Amino acid sequence: MTGSIGGDPAIETSALTKRYGRVTALDGIDLAVATGSVFGVIGPNGAGKTTTMRLLLDIIRPSSGSVRVLGEAPREGGPALRRRIGFLPGDLRPEGRVSGRELMRHYASISGLVADGRAEQIADRLGLDLTRQVRTLSRGNRQKLGIVQAFMHDPALLVLDEPTSGLDPLVQQEFLAMVGEASANGQTVFLSSHVLSEIQQAADAVAILRDGRLVTVSDVESLRLTAVRRVRLTAADIAEDAVRAALAPLPQLTALVLAAIGSGVRVDATVTGDIDPFVKAIARFHVGELTVEEPDLEESVLRLYGAREGSE
């Protein structure tokens, strides 16, 4: 299956496959990631997210198929290509009796030119003290170190594996702001997550992986339009039968629970996809309270999995 969301690609893969003996970790992945976009990869553990990233970075090499990153094959690009990439591994474990600042100097000697004060600026945004020894840091602060080293040389491409793991919610939001700024600056961001709300906030496009296969690629807005909304409302001066007659025929309605309250009805409904027909149907009621929950991206993804499995 092929996935591309417009623009000149910063990442291209064709039939990308990785096998370990009889185990296929990645099975024929075709992707095209537009330059300057934020591209999310989601899926359960073992789906192939980390394997894909390691192939992009030439940490491991494909069994078959091809990959190009920033216009070059990773195997041929060497250190010059890797300096144009900021990488945050999912299993980052920085250790040692050095301070965070000393560790960042070491990373800068590898990644290339870092503007004066840039590492400190990012650390301040994340609430990270670079004077502390790395070995004394909590898991969350070590993750912040990883984010600093990935961003500090303003690379053309950021490859981020589960980047918010261990971060508190406020720092997560600051990180997502940094991702948006990087994209606005023309940098490409390729990140994995199974925090689906994170992808919903940050990404322009999303690839869904499962068991090493690409289930689908979609822009996030399209995925949201297939999402499930919970709607709760009260309708005054109307009988249950009249409400049921108005709502039950709607194909978008996947669940409907009614309860009499005085002379009216409380409605709990689940609407999938386009909500407009539901809104027009309830317009004839005298609506009191009305609550519409944001689309649930996780349910959309699970429905996509189920639909794909049912068709195989």
Side-chain angles (χ1 to χ4, degrees):
M1 181 176 293
T2 301
S4 176
I5 305 290
D8 296 327
I11 296 170
E12 292 180 280
T13 73
S14 177
L16 188 61
T17 300
K18 181 62 180 178
R19 299 185 187 91
Y20 296 96
R22 295 182 180 180
V23 176
T24 300
L26 208 64
D27 189 6
I29 301 297
D30 295 344
L31 284 176
V33 177
T35 298
S37 68
V38 180
F39 194 95
V41 182
I42 58 178
N45 290 333
K49 304 186 298 293
T50 297
T51 298
T52 301
M53 292 184 166
R54 289 176 174 171
L55 288 165
L56 296 179
L57 295 156
D58 199 39
I59 296 171
I60 58 175
R61 289 181 173 168
S63 302
S64 61
S66 64
V67 55
R68 294 185 69 80
V69 175
L70 301 176
E72 299 184 68
R75 184 171 184 173
E76 299 168 1
L81 175 60
R82 287 191 286 274
R83 281 193 289 270
R84 300 174 63 201
I85 301 171
F87 177 47
L88 174 62
D91 57 354
L92 180 71
R93 295 186 183 93
E95 296 179 356
R97 294 180 178 273
V98 297
S99 69
R101 181 171 286 112
E102 289 169 324
L103 185 61
M104 291 305 102
R105 289 191 191 119
H106 170 69
Y107 283 135
S109 70
I110 299 170
S111 63
L113 184 65
V114 176
D116 288 345
R118 177 65 171 147
E120 288 78 8
Q121 177 192 41
I122 299 170
D124 286 346
R125 289 186 67 172
L126 299 174
L128 173 64
D129 182 357
L130 289 177
T131 67
R132 291 182 59 188
Q133 286 193 356
V134 172
R135 66 188 181 92
T136 69
L137 296 177
S138 66
R139 181 190 172 204
N141 280 323
R142 292 184 184 198
Q143 189 73 359
K144 293 175 188 178
L145 270 180
I147 294 171
V148 173
Q149 67 81 26
F151 276 79
M152 67 183 182
H153 59 299
D154 296 318
L157 172 65
L158 286 151
V159 177
L160 311 172
D161 193 358
E162 302 284 351
T164 62
S165 176
L167 301 182
D168 68 53
L170 288 177
V171 178
Q172 288 179 23
Q173 289 304 309
E174 190 63 38
F175 167 78
L176 294 176
M178 289 169 56
V179 167
E181 292 163 12
S183 177
N185 193 40
Q187 297 166 263
T188 305
V189 183
F190 187 88
L191 75 160
S192 73
S193 181
H194 47 282
V195 181
L196 300 175
S197 60
E198 182 176 286
I199 295 291
Q200 189 172 357
Q201 290 181 66
D204 303 306
V206 57
I208 301 170
L209 290 179
R210 192 175 202 189
D211 297 329
R213 294 182 181 180
L214 185 61
V215 177
T216 191
V217 173
S218 175
D219 64 273
V220 173
E221 184 58 31
S222 295
L223 192 57
R224 187 181 288 115
L225 290 175
T226 70
V228 178
R229 294 173 174 86
R230 299 272 195 275
V231 183
R232 296 178 178 85
L233 63 93
T234 57
D237 302 320
I238 193 169
E240 283 186 53
D241 288 346
V243 174
R244 191 178 302 279
L247 297 181
L250 298 176
Q252 296 85 2
L253 198 69
T254 54
L256 178 65
V257 177
L258 305 178
I261 48 167
S263 60
V265 179
R266 185 177 67 244
V267 179
D268 287 278
T270 303
V271 181
T272 301
D274 186 6
I275 199 171
D276 184 64
F278 182 86
V279 172
K280 289 175 177 173
I282 66 172
R284 71 191 73 175
F285 307 154
H286 183 167
V287 176
E289 297 179 359
L290 174 63
T291 303
V292 181
E293 292 184 2
E294 277 296 302
D296 189 325
L297 189 57
E298 182 167 9
E299 289 195 33
S300 297
V301 170
L302 292 174
R303 287 174 61 250
L304 267 171
Y305 282 163
R308 297 282 169 158
E309 288 175 347
S311 66
E312 291 177 355

